[in-house]
Amino acid sequence: MKRRTFLKGLSLSAAPPLFLQCTPKETIEKPNIIFIMADDLGYADLGCYGQKKIKTPNIDKLAANGMRFTQCYAGATICAPSRSVLMTGQHTGHTRIRGNMCKYGGTVGHKGNREVRRMNLLKEDVTVASVMQTAGYRTCLAGKWHIGGFNPDAGPLDRGFDEFYGALTYSGREHGPAYWPRKWFHNREMVEVTGNQNGEKGYYRTDLNTDRSISFIKKNLNRPFFLYLAYSNPHSPFDAPNTKAYDHEDWPEEEKLYASMVDNLDRNVGKLVQALKDSGLEKKTLVLFCSDNGPRSEPSEVQTRVSDFFDSNGPLQGYKRDLYEGGIRVPMIAYWPDKVPKDTVSDAIWYFADVLPTAADLAGATAPDNIDGVSMVPSLMDPKTLPKERYLYWEFFEGGFQQAARWNQWKAIRPALGKPLMLFNLDNDLGEEKNIADQHPEIIEQFETYLKTARSESENWPLEDA
């Protein structure tokens, strides 16, 4: 079957939304959707995923009163392409942005003292925000965009969002310190942040994101909304308002700061959910919480030490920038009282490409026909309902071209261009310690056949230069 024919079969335009089909006798009001994304939070950095040292009571409570997914994957193993997959519903073999930096095209800017190129989403790239706009939703991004490159004409307000509160890459030097911004975007205007002038540290970035999100919610009590809350915690640098929750521990300073960053993240999630309750919107809102990729912002000695100290990946191998499970498998929690069954665990295999069709399904909107994702609404309603068998796909370009794909219990990784595939059975080898490619040539052949058509060429990330 040709790819486009297959994708048209997944289109939501041919039938009533799946969510509406689930309860045909009820009149279903369009739910609000809040997608909360942490930055570089490990799979096991939360108590509900096995964390022993850092306390996350508010996020754990979300899981206890909702659904915790054990096999959800980020769009990529680094920030920008992972967010591009989330926005476009296309995996890294098709989405516009396939790396944090590109070799060709895009816009030239600076990362520290280095001159680099970054690619941005184009106007023809349909985003989940623009799909929700067409369904009558008010859309907002609070926090990190990171897929506009250095292009001032490719910000959130140019790609489907009605409101934006946060920082943009092209003006990063004007914002000031990462977690204590002197200036902040309110839509298209940069405004000073009270409390952070003249070197003061009075308004922490994560608190600011939450407060702006709550203001947005209060403005839209009688209109459906889509809120993308993209936190920066616990991405480097290690920085928190205080470490008082862990000052009693005999830990190095970096470990205390990391735990405090996760603690602050947890407190802000609790504050947001409480605002939903206070506004009367809790039962009208689906909240999804996840991370954008695995832990360890940079492959440095101190970042590795901190991640290992907290066992941030639990049983998984690898970190951010790896295509092993530790780089791409992330926590995912769904919370929607009286709709998503409480205190449930789902083994459904899915990833960020599925967010766009899922949101469109809930909104009664039409998803584009060139996406790689599927609606996860049936799985959200019933943990025993799993998506149909399919391949999930990732590629990565830093240090050479790498690929990974998942099909049922099987995981294949190509460590470099032209190298043979490694194969792992995740059912009995979650740590991907035993390459069994030689034992299953028939499975390798199926992966190789899929990978021949899994991706399209990119002028920004050409394979010949990988």
Side-chain angles (χ1 to χ4, degrees):
M1 183 181 292
K2 293 183 178 179
R3 177 177 176 272
R4 181 157 297 272
T5 303
F6 172 70
L7 290 174
K8 283 185 176 180
L10 297 179
S11 173
L12 304 180
S13 60
L18 291 172
F19 178 63
L20 300 184
Q21 294 177 21
C22 292
T23 52
K25 295 182 179 180
E26 299 179 32
T27 300
I28 302 299
E29 184 178 356
K30 292 181 179 181
N32 305 309
I33 300 174
I34 300 178
F35 192 91
I36 306 173
M37 182 185 285
D39 198 337
D40 294 357
L41 183 78
Y43 181 80
D45 270 334
L46 303 173
C48 54
Y49 281 86
Q51 179 56 227
K52 302 301 183 184
K53 297 177 179 177
I54 306 173
K55 305 302 181 183
T56 54
N58 294 292
I59 298 173
D60 295 347
K61 188 175 180 180
L62 274 188
N65 289 289
M67 186 179 295
R68 180 173 63 86
F69 289 91
T70 63
Q71 300 191 82
C72 185
Y73 291 88
T77 187
I78 53 175
C79 294
S82 191
R83 293 159 201 270
S84 185
V85 172
L86 174 69
M87 285 291 105
T88 64
Q90 299 172 318
H91 62 51
T92 43
H94 297 133
T95 198
R96 182 73 58 187
I97 300 171
R98 305 189 189 187
N100 282 350
M101 275 75 75
C102 57
K103 187 168 183 179
Y104 303 102
T107 308
V108 176
H110 289 85
K111 181 176 176 62
N113 296 321
R114 289 189 299 142
E115 186 175 271
V116 297
R117 290 181 176 271
R118 292 187 187 269
M119 188 56 193
N120 56 267
L121 292 183
L122 302 182
K123 289 184 177 180
E124 58 262 37
D125 295 319
V126 178
T127 68
V128 59
S130 59
V131 169
M132 300 305 281
Q133 274 185 332
T134 63
Y137 277 64
R138 185 74 176 174
T139 58
C140 176
L141 165 61
K144 184 174 179 177
W145 179 231
H146 208 56
I147 47 179
F150 298 108
N151 186 350
D153 298 319
L157 301 183
D158 306 298
R159 300 295 183 266
F161 287 96
D162 296 305
E163 299 182 31
F164 169 56
Y165 306 97
L168 295 175
T169 305
Y170 69 83
S171 57
R173 294 179 178 178
E174 301 170 25
H175 287 300
Y179 281 99
W180 308 95
R182 293 189 300 270
K183 293 186 177 182
W184 200 253
F185 271 99
H186 283 207
N187 296 321
R188 297 190 188 278
E189 180 183 3
M190 283 197 75
V191 301
E192 290 188 348
V193 177
T194 303
N196 290 350
Q197 305 306 310
N198 302 314
E200 296 177 326
K201 293 184 175 182
Y203 208 157
Y204 192 60
R205 180 175 184 161
T206 310
D207 301 329
L208 181 56
N209 285 333
T210 303
D211 291 345
R212 294 297 172 267
S213 296
I214 291 173
S215 296
F216 172 77
I217 290 170
K218 290 180 177 179
K219 289 191 300 182
N220 290 279
L221 297 178
N222 299 308
R223 177 179 180 177
F225 60 80
F226 174 79
L227 170 62
Y228 173 28
L229 176 49
Y231 287 123
S232 293
N233 290 37
H235 191 290
S236 65
F238 296 124
D239 197 349
N242 59 68
T243 58
K244 61 183 181 182
Y246 297 95
D247 280 341
H248 64 284
E249 301 286 358
D250 185 21
W251 298 348
E253 185 66 16
E254 290 86 359
E255 278 77 350
K256 290 182 181 181
L257 282 167
Y258 185 85
S260 298
M261 294 175 79
V262 177
D263 176 80
N264 180 271
L265 171 70
D266 180 76
R267 291 173 186 272
N268 274 281
V269 170
K271 182 178 180 180
L272 184 82
V273 173
Q274 185 60 51
L276 274 180
K277 294 179 180 179
D278 294 343
S279 65
L281 296 180
E282 186 183 24
K283 293 186 177 181
K284 299 179 180 179
T285 305
L286 168 65
V287 178
L288 297 171
F289 175 90
C290 69
S291 178
D292 66 339
N293 46 245
R296 195 183 67 166
S297 300
E298 299 88 28
S300 67
E301 182 179 348
V302 65
Q303 288 274 339
T304 303
R305 188 195 78 207
V306 170
S307 181
D308 291 348
F309 178 82
F310 291 112
D311 195 19
S312 291
N313 276 334
L316 310 180
Q317 179 185 165
Y319 308 88
K320 177 180 180 178
R321 291 185 169 82
D322 292 325
L323 288 178
Y324 290 107
E325 294 291 283
I328 55 178
R329 190 184 289 212
V330 294
M332 174 65 82
I333 297 167
Y335 173 73
W336 187 5
D338 298 340
K339 295 292 189 301
V340 172
K342 64 185 299 185
D343 197 21
T344 52
V345 177
S346 173
D347 295 325
I349 303 169
W350 64 299
Y351 63 163
F352 283 5
D354 299 327
V355 172
L356 187 155
T358 299
D361 194 355
L362 291 168
T366 300
D369 66 357
N370 65 340
I371 61 174
D372 298 297
V374 301
S375 173
M376 290 296 296
V377 170
S379 297
L380 288 171
M381 300 299 109
D382 180 2
K384 296 180 181 179
T385 301
L386 305 178
K388 293 181 180 180
E389 292 183 6
R390 57 176 173 151
Y391 290 93
L392 308 186
Y393 177 81
W394 301 267
E395 61 186 42
F396 184 51
F397 287 84
E398 290 185 17
F401 180 68
Q402 300 174 54
Q403 290 176 296
R406 170 94 193 250
W407 174 55
N408 294 334
Q409 77 269 34
W410 305 105
K411 170 83 173 291
I413 299 177
R414 192 184 307 283
L417 190 63
K419 295 291 185 179
L421 290 174
M422 299 186 294
L423 182 68
F424 305 96
N425 184 339
L426 296 179
D427 278 356
N428 54 37
D429 182 21
L430 187 57
E432 296 168 289
E433 297 177 349
K434 186 177 181 180
N435 177 12
I436 54 175
D438 291 344
Q439 301 173 31
H440 296 278
E442 75 287 356
I443 301 298
I444 290 293
E445 182 179 359
Q446 291 182 63
F447 272 108
E448 290 286 13
T449 299
Y450 165 71
L451 291 174
K452 288 177 182 178
T453 59
R455 67 183 306 275
S456 58
E457 292 301 319
S458 168
E459 62 182 2
N460 307 111
W461 286 271
L463 267 190
E464 58 266 25
D465 289 340

